[in-house]
Amino acid sequence: MKREQLTEKILDIKREKGWTWKYICEEIGGMSPFLVVGALLGQMKLVKPLAKKAAELFGLSQVEERMLNEVPMRGAGTPMPPTDPLIYRFYELVMVNGPAWKALIEEEFGDGIMSAIDFNMEMVREPNPKGDRVQITMSGKFLPYKYYGNEQGIPDYGFKEG
């Protein structure tokens, strides 16, 4: 079985049982819903105790349970640019706002990146009379670039200089 086939099996069971992602995440627990759903869709991995809970919930075999615990090929299956309109909007946000985000982060923190590994994300529904809004909050650790081969007096890392 390939990982994509396990994802389809999980989605089939979800449909058959009439489960919501919220229900599934409550049953498995232990991590952010983004990570649990991402793992069930093949983009993240579940730690062994959560893979076991997911396998029990979905009636999966031991091999399928182990697949949920394997490090996935993240991003596989999503064409670039994305064709799904909702996913494309996120791509568009980065294309349009990315240069400003980069400039503002570098001005505040220095020469580096925001981690997508040491990272938190939350989503809430924000009621609005003109139509409910999706509020997404992202928080990633700042990782300064290391200036390897630097000479004496040159900083080791790209933190903002005083």
Side-chain angles (χ1 to χ4, degrees):
M1 173 180 276
K2 294 190 183 278
R3 187 59 186 85
E4 303 82 40
Q5 293 168 306
L6 178 54
T7 296
E8 288 305 316
K9 179 176 180 175
I10 288 168
L11 291 172
D12 286 345
I13 294 167
K14 177 186 178 290
R15 275 188 290 273
E16 179 185 306
K17 303 275 189 186
W19 291 341
T20 63
W21 287 119
K22 183 177 181 178
Y23 168 79
I24 293 166
C25 290
E26 287 171 354
E27 290 296 307
I28 296 171
M31 294 177 12
S32 159
F34 290 104
L35 295 175
V36 173
V37 173
L40 296 174
L41 294 176
Q43 296 301 307
M44 296 291 194
K45 75 170 240 175
L46 290 176
V47 294
K48 288 181 180 180
L50 299 184
K52 183 173 182 56
K53 285 175 117 177
E56 289 170 359
L57 180 65
F58 285 95
L60 304 178
S61 71
Q62 281 190 329
V63 170
E64 292 165 333
E65 177 181 332
R66 283 189 212 114
M67 288 177 82
L68 292 174
N69 180 247
E70 291 175 358
V71 176
M73 182 62 72
R74 294 178 174 98
T78 302
M80 282 303 191
T83 55
D84 179 88
L86 192 141
I87 295 173
Y88 182 81
R89 293 284 86 78
F90 285 99
Y91 182 77
E92 182 180 43
L93 280 168
V94 172
M95 287 190 311
V96 173
N97 297 293
W101 295 341
K102 176 179 169 37
L104 292 168
I105 288 170
E106 288 172 348
E107 182 175 271
E108 180 69 25
F109 294 91
D111 184 13
I113 63 170
M114 182 179 92
S115 177
I117 295 171
D118 190 344
F119 182 82
N120 294 316
M121 185 164 43
E122 293 180 15
M123 181 190 75
V124 295
R125 184 181 198 133
E126 189 178 289
N128 187 299
K130 295 180 181 177
D132 288 358
R133 303 179 67 80
V134 179
Q135 181 183 16
I136 297 175
T137 304
M138 298 184 289
S139 172
K141 179 179 179 183
F142 179 73
L143 301 172
Y145 280 102
K146 181 173 184 190
Y147 300 145
Y148 50 90
N150 58 321
E151 297 176 4
Q152 187 174 14
I154 305 297
D156 289 337
Y157 292 95
F159 288 113
K160 184 176 178 181
E161 296 180 61

